[in-house]
Amino acid sequence: MKNVFFKPWIGENYESGGIFDQKILVLGESHYCDGCDKCSGAPTYGECADFTINVVQKIINGDSSRWSGTFRKFERSLIGRDTTSKEASKIWQSLAFYNYLQVAVPNPREAGDWYDCDNSETAFFEILDHQNPDLLIVWGVTRMWDNMPSKGWNNGPQIVIDGYSVKNGWYTLGNGHRVRAIWVYHPSTGYSWEWWNKVIRELI
């Protein structure tokens, strides 16, 4: 995966589907940091390249961080209840997680530039081809919906939950495999895990 800088988290049970019985890739938007430019340019695998992996490992370990609430809300929306630390570990060991942008942004809730999105497309398809997920759950229904690649994309059937039309469809990969995709609100804010569990239950 020569175009991937931020290496994805791959749970130890991802390949078997783990507790979900299917391979689920969760797609965030970006990392943020406030001081270096190591992720610009060609990938050089080092400490920064393990950012994603380290974040999820901290969540599994129960470490408190600025991202804990975001990850906790999302994991609860997958199973429909408050999660224990043991359940949290089983959930994340069953998932893959990857951030779309291959450069960090300097502040939370800050968008990457349009060319950062375009430049991340090749890496995204490398991840899909390598991990071959059955389901892609995308965090963010505005920027992430507008800026995701159109290559291999087909809109899905209308899914309406409590009057809300869920953005969904499929990516067809070069090997013919179809990846079902849905977009959910970003769990960092304004995210009701109880409500989004209604949506996610339609697919897992």
Side-chain angles (χ1 to χ4, degrees), residues 112-187:
D113 293 314
W114 65 267
Y115 51 80
D116 292 330
C117 296
D118 284 353
N119 290 342
S120 298
E121 180 174 326
T122 301
F124 170 67
F125 282 110
E126 284 182 353
I127 291 291
L128 291 187
D129 288 338
H130 193 263
Q131 303 304 331
N132 214 39
D134 301 307
L135 175 64
L136 178 69
I137 302 178
V138 184
W139 288 2
V141 300
T142 51
R143 290 196 303 261
M144 287 295 281
W145 173 256
D146 293 336
N147 293 319
M148 292 285 288
S150 59
K151 174 185 172 183
W153 174 254
N154 292 103
N155 288 322
Q158 189 175 45
I159 299 175
V160 179
I161 306 292
D162 297 341
Y164 176 80
S165 183
V166 180
K167 294 178 171 69
N168 77 99
W170 286 270
Y171 279 107
T172 302
L173 306 184
N175 62 7
H177 180 66
R178 299 180 80 205
V179 181
R180 187 71 189 276
I182 63 167
W183 275 251
V184 301
Y185 283 2
H186 196 288

Side-chain angles (χ1 to χ4, degrees), residues 85-107:
S85 58
K86 185 176 181 179
E87 286 175 321
S89 179
K90 288 182 179 180
I91 290 168
W92 292 105
Q93 292 294 358
S94 299
L95 301 172
F97 180 83
Y98 175 70
N99 270 324
Y100 185 76
L101 291 187
Q102 291 304 287
V103 294
V105 297
N107 298 294

